[in-house]
PDB file of all heavy atoms in Angstrom:
ATOM      1  N   LEU A  15      19.904  32.465  10.241  1.00 96.00           N
ATOM      2  CA  LEU A  15      21.294  32.305   9.749  1.00 96.00           C
ATOM      3  C   LEU A  15      21.585  33.809   9.237  1.00 96.00           C
ATOM      4  O   LEU A  15      22.714  34.260   9.321  1.00 96.00           O
ATOM      5  CB  LEU A  15      21.269  31.284   8.663  1.00 96.00           C
ATOM      6  CG  LEU A  15      22.525  30.738   8.235  1.00 96.00           C
ATOM      7  CD1 LEU A  15      23.387  30.376   9.465  1.00 96.00           C
ATOM      8  CD2 LEU A  15      22.306  29.585   7.306  1.00 96.00           C
ATOM      9  N   HIS A  16      20.631  34.321   8.625  1.00 96.00           N
ATOM     10  CA  HIS A  16      20.736  35.700   8.063  1.00 96.00           C
ATOM     11  C   HIS A  16      21.148  36.738   9.157  1.00 96.00           C
ATOM     12  O   HIS A  16      22.170  37.484   9.086  1.00 96.00           O
ATOM     13  CB  HIS A  16      19.584  36.289   7.418  1.00 96.00           C
ATOM     14  CG  HIS A  16      19.738  37.452   6.714  1.00 96.00           C
ATOM     15  ND1 HIS A  16      20.241  37.575   5.361  1.00 96.00           N
ATOM     16  CD2 HIS A  16      19.567  38.806   7.055  1.00 96.00           C
ATOM     17  CE1 HIS A  16      20.331  38.882   5.088  1.00 96.00           C
ATOM     18  NE2 HIS A  16      19.953  39.640   6.028  1.00 96.00           N
ATOM     19  N   LEU A  17      20.363  36.613  10.314  1.00 97.00           N
ATOM     20  CA  LEU A  17      20.802  37.466  11.465  1.00 97.00           C
ATOM     21  C   LEU A  17      22.062  37.266  11.915  1.00 97.00           C
ATOM     22  O   LEU A  17      22.919  38.040  12.305  1.00 97.00           O
ATOM     23  CB  LEU A  17      19.772  37.205  12.586  1.00 97.00           C
ATOM     24  CG  LEU A  17      18.373  37.533  12.478  1.00 97.00           C
ATOM     25  CD1 LEU A  17      17.595  37.685  13.834  1.00 97.00           C
ATOM     26  CD2 LEU A  17      18.219  38.789  11.696  1.00 97.00           C
ATOM     27  N   ALA A  18      22.485  35.879  12.035  1.00 97.00           N
ATOM     28  CA  ALA A  18      23.783  35.504  12.552  1.00 97.00           C
ATOM     29  C   ALA A  18      24.978  36.117  11.584  1.00 97.00           C
ATOM     30  O   ALA A  18      25.969  36.577  12.059  1.00 97.00           O
ATOM     31  CB  ALA A  18      23.896  34.004  12.581  1.00 97.00           C
ATOM     32  N   ARG A  19      24.703  36.081  10.437  1.00 95.00           N
ATOM     33  CA  ARG A  19      25.770  36.574   9.400  1.00 95.00           C
ATOM     34  C   ARG A  19      25.853  38.060   9.602  1.00 95.00           C
ATOM     35  O   ARG A  19      26.966  38.617   9.412  1.00 95.00           O
ATOM     36  CB  ARG A  19      25.317  36.386   7.944  1.00 95.00           C
ATOM     37  CG  ARG A  19      25.598  34.799   7.588  1.00 95.00           C
ATOM     38  CD  ARG A  19      25.555  34.722   6.025  1.00 95.00           C
ATOM     39  NE  ARG A  19      24.988  33.534   5.645  1.00 95.00           N
ATOM     40  CZ  ARG A  19      23.750  33.442   5.136  1.00 95.00           C
ATOM     41  NH1 ARG A  19      23.049  34.508   5.001  1.00 95.00           N
ATOM     42  NH2 ARG A  19      23.251  32.293   4.796  1.00 95.00           N
ATOM     43  N   ARG A  20      24.751  38.753   9.906  1.00 94.00           N
ATOM     44  CA  ARG A  20      24.894  40.215  10.049  1.00 94.00           C
ATOM     45  C   ARG A  20      25.601  40.622  11.329  1.00 94.00           C
ATOM     46  O   ARG A  20      25.834  41.841  11.622  1.00 94.00           O
ATOM     47  CB  ARG A  20      23.405  40.781  10.105  1.00 94.00           C
ATOM     48  CG  ARG A  20      22.812  40.803   8.747  1.00 94.00           C
ATOM     49  CD  ARG A  20      23.464  41.781   7.851  1.00 94.00           C
ATOM     50  NE  ARG A  20      23.503  43.055   8.436  1.00 94.00           N
ATOM     51  CZ  ARG A  20      22.519  44.000   8.251  1.00 94.00           C
ATOM     52  NH1 ARG A  20      21.535  43.711   7.610  1.00 94.00           N
ATOM     53  NH2 ARG A  20      22.624  45.171   8.981  1.00 94.00           N
ATOM     54  N   GLY A  21      25.892  39.551  12.145  1.00 91.00           N
ATOM     55  CA  GLY A  21      26.622  39.947  13.324  1.00 91.00           C
ATOM     56  C   GLY A  21      25.728  39.844  14.677  1.00 91.00           C
ATOM     57  O   GLY A  21      24.648  40.220  14.511  1.00 91.00           O
ATOM     58  N   ALA A  22      26.439  39.422  15.709  1.00 80.00           N
ATOM     59  CA  ALA A  22      25.638  39.178  16.846  1.00 80.00           C
ATOM     60  C   ALA A  22      25.205  40.537  17.471  1.00 80.00           C
ATOM     61  O   ALA A  22      25.822  41.607  17.346  1.00 80.00           O
ATOM     62  CB  ALA A  22      26.544  38.683  17.950  1.00 80.00           C
ATOM     63  N   GLN A  24      23.120  42.523  16.118  1.00 95.00           N
ATOM     64  CA  GLN A  24      22.552  43.327  15.192  1.00 95.00           C
ATOM     65  C   GLN A  24      21.003  43.203  14.994  1.00 95.00           C
ATOM     66  O   GLN A  24      20.555  42.186  15.017  1.00 95.00           O
ATOM     67  CB  GLN A  24      23.185  42.897  13.788  1.00 95.00           C
ATOM     68  CG  GLN A  24      24.505  43.664  13.436  1.00 95.00           C
ATOM     69  CD  GLN A  24      24.154  45.070  13.032  1.00 95.00           C
ATOM     70  OE1 GLN A  24      23.015  45.508  12.689  1.00 95.00           O
ATOM     71  NE2 GLN A  24      25.203  45.895  13.186  1.00 95.00           N
ATOM     72  N   VAL A  26      17.896  43.508  12.721  1.00 98.00           N
ATOM     73  CA  VAL A  26      17.634  43.555  11.314  1.00 98.00           C
ATOM     74  C   VAL A  26      16.048  43.471  11.098  1.00 98.00           C
ATOM     75  O   VAL A  26      15.415  42.748  11.920  1.00 98.00           O
ATOM     76  CB  VAL A  26      18.229  42.348  10.685  1.00 98.00           C
ATOM     77  CG1 VAL A  26      18.011  42.309   9.259  1.00 98.00           C
ATOM     78  CG2 VAL A  26      19.708  42.222  11.017  1.00 98.00           C
ATOM     79  N   GLU A  30      14.137  43.172   5.517  1.00 97.00           N
ATOM     80  CA  GLU A  30      15.507  42.891   4.791  1.00 97.00           C
ATOM     81  C   GLU A  30      15.661  41.303   4.564  1.00 97.00           C
ATOM     82  O   GLU A  30      16.111  40.840   3.576  1.00 97.00           O
ATOM     83  CB  GLU A  30      16.718  43.500   5.689  1.00 97.00           C
ATOM     84  CG  GLU A  30      18.030  43.000   5.099  1.00 97.00           C
ATOM     85  CD  GLU A  30      19.119  43.390   6.106  1.00 97.00           C
ATOM     86  OE1 GLU A  30      19.059  44.469   6.594  1.00 97.00           O
ATOM     87  OE2 GLU A  30      20.085  42.530   6.347  1.00 97.00           O
TER      88      GLU A  30
END
Side-chain angles (χ1 to χ4, degrees):
Chain A
L15 202 46
H16 187 87
L17 294 200
R19 284 200 217 102
R20 287 291 304 271
Q24 270 289 340
V26 184
E30 174 188 319

